[in-house]
Amino acid sequence: MIEITGLAKRFEVENPKKLSEQEKKDPRLKGRYFQSVRDVSFTCQSGEVLGLLGPNGAGKTTTLRMLSTALRPDSGSVTIDGQDVLANPNVARKKIGFLSSSTGLYGRLTGRENISYFGELYGLSKSTINARIEEMADLLDMQSFLERRAENFSSGMKQKVSIARAVIHEPSLVVLDEPTTGLDIMATSTVMEFIQRLKDKGTPVIFSTHHLDEVQALCDKVTVINQGETVFNDSLAAFSALSDGQMHKSFLKTLSTESQEKSNVVNL
């Protein structure tokens, strides 16, 4: 099980005077610091897919980067199968497969070489790496471009190689930050099928997205973040029931409910 409790992270603002009026009104801005994440908590069990939702700038990517140990939180805890991720980041990284919103492939290396390089970093043998690359090449439909340099890849090709690179070590948890953004219908379908295969294998998956149809198709749980705080954390059924199965309205309702609650506190 993956458990995230009370995560918080702030960043120093280099020049507050250059902020827009809208940015200055953000309640997360405190003097020279911007509290990107204030209080985020959720859990994900084995075999579950959790959809992480929120408006742009809500704190989703910062949350996922803390979960992946790329960022250290100011407070809060992250555990995977009872192991403290923050106390043992190197050990934890072996348990996590993380795909950021930027693929970051080495352009002069082929798709195979990009994946193989990360397999070697994880200490896998060459025979294991080759076997897993062949398996994922079939699952992600990569055989036609696996031997080509990454600098010539389309967005869909880059994303498929990046996903394969992230799971080459068969992690205990897969974290995907907007994995289908910018992909065409066929590439999106392939990525969705791959997430379903991870789910079928019992591997928990946490992925952020703006596409609610993906959430409806894949997710068991939904967590909504707004202005750096968890405003909804429950099952897909409970999320859908907020507006009689209309996912977009359910999402908007989680945001409006939070705003109304804050308004009621102020008026008391």
Side-chain angles (χ1 to χ4, degrees):
M1 182 180 81
I2 299 87
E3 185 172 10
I4 292 89
T5 305
L7 283 188
K9 181 67 177 178
R10 70 175 186 172
F11 299 94
E12 186 173 1
V13 179
E14 290 186 6
N15 194 340
K17 294 181 179 180
K18 290 187 177 182
L19 296 175
S20 67
E21 289 303 316
Q22 183 177 357
E23 289 172 329
K24 290 178 180 178
K25 292 178 182 179
D26 194 310
R28 290 177 289 174
L29 182 64
K30 304 292 183 183
R32 294 187 60 85
Y33 291 94
F34 182 77
Q35 193 79 31
S36 179
V37 174
R38 296 189 287 182
D39 185 6
V40 169
S41 302
F42 56 83
T43 61
C44 187
Q45 305 280 351
S46 295
E48 286 186 338
V49 177
L50 182 146
L52 189 63
L53 304 176
N56 287 333
K60 302 186 299 299
T61 294
T62 300
T63 295
L64 294 183
R65 291 184 69 194
M66 287 190 285
L67 171 57
S68 71
T69 73
L71 276 179
R72 185 168 185 83
D74 297 325
S75 60
S77 63
V78 178
T79 60
I80 299 178
D81 297 332
Q83 186 168 29
D84 189 333
V85 169
L86 305 180
N88 303 284
N90 290 330
V91 175
R93 286 169 192 152
K94 295 181 179 180
K95 292 178 172 288
I96 301 170
F98 178 60
L99 174 69
S100 68
S101 53
S102 174
T103 57
L105 297 179
Y106 296 102
R108 296 184 63 84
L109 299 183
T110 65
R112 180 184 297 276
E113 288 169 341
N114 268 282
I115 301 168
S116 180
Y117 174 63
F118 272 73
E120 291 176 15
L121 289 178
Y122 282 112
L124 303 179
S125 67
K126 288 188 177 181
S127 60
T128 298
I129 291 172
N130 290 334
R132 291 181 183 173
I133 287 177
E134 291 306 316
E135 178 185 3
M136 288 185 290
D138 290 335
L139 292 176
L140 291 168
D141 191 22
M142 298 190 299
Q143 294 288 9
S144 63
F145 59 85
L146 198 57
E147 310 304 336
R148 289 165 51 185
R149 283 187 176 183
E151 61 190 0
N152 300 315
F153 285 176
S154 67
S155 296
M157 294 173 183
K158 289 179 180 179
Q159 195 72 324
K160 289 179 181 182
V161 171
S162 295
I163 290 174
R165 184 181 65 177
V167 300
I168 184 68
H169 58 303
E170 296 188 338
S172 303
L173 166 68
V174 175
V175 180
L176 307 172
D177 189 4
E178 299 187 10
T180 62
T181 297
L183 304 188
D184 61 24
I185 293 175
M186 295 302 295
T188 295
S189 178
T190 300
V191 173
M192 296 279 284
E193 289 173 3
F194 186 73
I195 294 174
Q196 182 63 53
R197 286 179 180 271
L198 290 172
K199 178 178 178 179
D200 293 342
K201 287 174 60 178
T203 303
V205 179
I206 298 172
F207 78 99
S208 65
T209 182
H210 290 293
H211 303 293
L212 294 176
D213 56 329
E214 296 176 359
V215 173
Q216 193 165 29
L218 287 175
C219 292
D220 303 286
K221 298 182 69 176
V222 176
T223 298
V224 181
I225 298 175
N226 191 30
Q227 294 187 336
E229 297 181 349
T230 300
V231 296
F232 181 89
N233 182 39
D234 209 330
S235 67
L236 175 65
F239 180 76
S240 181
L242 292 175
S243 293
D244 298 323
Q246 300 180 68
M247 299 288 282
H248 284 82
K249 289 187 177 180
S250 293
F251 174 65
L252 293 174
K253 190 168 184 178
T254 63
L255 305 184
S256 62
T257 299
E258 182 210 17
S259 298
Q260 184 61 48
E261 288 176 350
K262 289 183 177 180
S263 176
N264 291 339
V265 170
V266 171
N267 292 332
L268 286 177

